[in-house]
């Protein structure tokens, strides 16, 4: 696949000007551009620029509101409920994580529920913001149907990521940020666009047969991690981010690429809390915890036992030093959107 190299700043300016052309304010365009660039830099291409055309199409078709009026309801010093008025998800999530951090700094724990939002990209991106303020975070969002509940042949759960972030006493945060499906749906979309195969054992076609054809997988069902356990975790995320928040749930979140009949009304839940609620020496305790685990004897061929988030941190640092490489397909998307 042919790639084009672009300076990060040039790309950021291009994205900002595209979003502004589609009606976002300068600040909202900047928030969205930063989130998309971050996804490219950590190598989460399925949540990066491969989606920009989709966001702009949804704005054009009036199912993302480019000028949202956020309703921010204070429920207590710790708890906030946000109605995002169908904004682009990045902006709703940015407001929510910042509010959750403020609440936690004031009271020890912050909890922010969001409804009427859209796809916000990578949960870990928001967990990193909390870690930088020395807070632990737990973040949930639901997503359009992709995974069949255990025992069913119909997709209903999204790939519903589960995210947990924690300071580590070092520069490299612990960020467990994982979808509950064997493979991220974004990766399947990228494979389908580039005519690439997907791995065995991650999806079934619409007839329930295992497939490595990305297009057939998108029409069929994705498999959850660990059978009924993964299905249960997806269900938990649907309850926490959909049922609890006032967002859509039980398969009602619309697919952002294929369904323009209305807004997605995705729900998110952000929980952040201080590390010193129960012990005064969290930093030294977590350092010890990581040290013990990282020093365990390794399987042959494994150089290092990594904790979640280490791989993405390294990738981000390495990629930040270089130009961003985008495929010709994405370059074409940007050119069309700029016209
Ligand atoms: N907004 C949405 O609707 C949505 C839906 C699904 C996924 N996502 C996002 O997509 C991103 C990718 O999800 P994914 O499930 O493909 O992630 P992944 O499989 O790449 O990684 C999952 C987790 O495992 C960790 N990990 C990976 N390799 C490791 C190793 N060798 N040792 C230790 N830990 C390791 C990672 O740091 C990460 O925390 C996430 O950021 C997620 O939030 C978003």
């Amino acid at each position: 696949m042919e790639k084009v190299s672009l300076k990060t700043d040039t790309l950021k300016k291009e994205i900002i000007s595209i979003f502004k052309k589609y009606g976002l304010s300068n600040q909202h365009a900047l928030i969205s551009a930063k989130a998309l660039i971050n996804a490219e830099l950590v190598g989460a291409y399925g949540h990066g620029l491969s989606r920009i055309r989709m966001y702009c199409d949804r704005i054009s078709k009036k199912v993302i509101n480019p000028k949202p009026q956020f309703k921010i309801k204070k429920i207590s010093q710790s708890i906030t409920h946000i109605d995002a008025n169908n904004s682009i998800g990045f902006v709703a999530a940015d407001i929510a994580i910042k509010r959750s951090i403020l609440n936690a700094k004031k009271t020890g724990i912050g909890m922010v529920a969001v409804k009427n939002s859209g796809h916000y990209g990578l949960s870990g991106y928001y967990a990193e913001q909390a870690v930088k303020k020395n807070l632990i975070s737990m973040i949930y969002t639901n997503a359009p149907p992709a995974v069949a509940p255990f025992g069913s042949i119909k997709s209903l759960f999204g790939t519903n990521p589960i995210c947990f972030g924690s300071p580590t006493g070092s520069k490299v945060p612990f960020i467990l940020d994982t979808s509950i499906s064997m493979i991220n749906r974004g990766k399947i979309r990228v494979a389908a666009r580039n005519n690439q195969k997907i791995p065995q054992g991650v999806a079934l076609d619409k007839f329930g047969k295992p497939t490595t054809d990305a297009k057939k997988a998108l029409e069929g069902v994705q498999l959850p991690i660990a059978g009924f356990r993964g299905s249960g975790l997806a269900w938990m995320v649907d309850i926490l981010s959909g049922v609890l928040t006032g967002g859509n749930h039980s398969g009602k979140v619309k697919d952002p690429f294929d369904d323009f009949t209305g807004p997605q009304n995705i729900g998110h839940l952000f929980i952040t809390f201080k590390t010193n609620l129960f012990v005064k020496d969290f930093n030294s305790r977590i350092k010890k915890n990581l040290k013990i685990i990282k020093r365990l004897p390794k399987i042959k061929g494994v150089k290092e036992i990594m904790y979640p988030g280490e791989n993405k941190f390294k990738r981000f640092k390495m990629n930040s030093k270089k130009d961003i490489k985008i495929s010709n397909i994405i370059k074409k998307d940007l050119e069309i959107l700029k016209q």
Side-chain angles (χ1 to χ4, degrees), residues 8 18 54 59 61 89 93 98 119 137 159 176 192 197 212 229 235 248 256 266 280 294 300 304 321 323 326:
T8 308
I18 288 171
M54 172 274 283
I59 296 171
K61 301 214 164 117
K98 290 196 163 72
H119 175 265
S137 59
T159 49
L176 172 68
K197 290 222 170 298
T212 56
R229 295 179 178 91
W235 207 328
N248 272 339
I266 288 182
K280 293 225 176 330
K294 283 178 88 61
K300 205 172 165 206
E304 184 190 352
K321 291 182 196 145
D323 289 352
I326 57 171

Side-chain angles (χ1 to χ4, degrees), residues 82-87 92 114-118 246-248 264-267:
I82 298 178
D83 179 338
N85 194 210
N86 305 317
S87 82
V114 184
K115 66 174 178 178
N116 289 321
S117 184
N248 272 339
Q264 287 191 288
N265 184 13
I266 288 182

Side-chain angles (χ1 to χ4, degrees), residues 47 119 121-123 143 159 161 175-177 179 184 187 306 309 311:
H47 291 279
H119 175 265
L122 312 178
S123 300
T159 49
I175 310 263
L176 172 68
D177 180 19
S179 11
N184 196 321
K187 282 182 194 159
M306 287 194 292
N311 57 338

Side-chain angles (χ1 to χ4, degrees), residues 77-142:
Q77 293 279 47
S78 297
I79 308 168
T80 306
H81 193 195
I82 298 178
D83 179 338
N85 194 210
N86 305 317
S87 82
I88 196 162
F90 302 123
V91 176
D94 187 75
I95 293 175
I97 189 63
K98 290 196 163 72
R99 182 60 62 125
S100 184
I101 290 169
L102 271 180
N103 293 358
K105 285 287 176 194
K106 253 190 267 167
T107 68
I109 183 159
M111 186 177 192
V112 177
V114 184
K115 66 174 178 178
N116 289 321
S117 184
H119 175 265
Y120 71 26
L122 312 178
S123 300
Y125 180 59
Y126 308 102
E128 281 163 20
Q129 295 191 35
V131 169
K132 282 188 185 137
K133 302 287 179 187
N134 203 30
L135 296 169
I136 290 179
S137 59
M138 295 164 80
I139 299 176
Y140 308 95
T141 182
N142 58 8

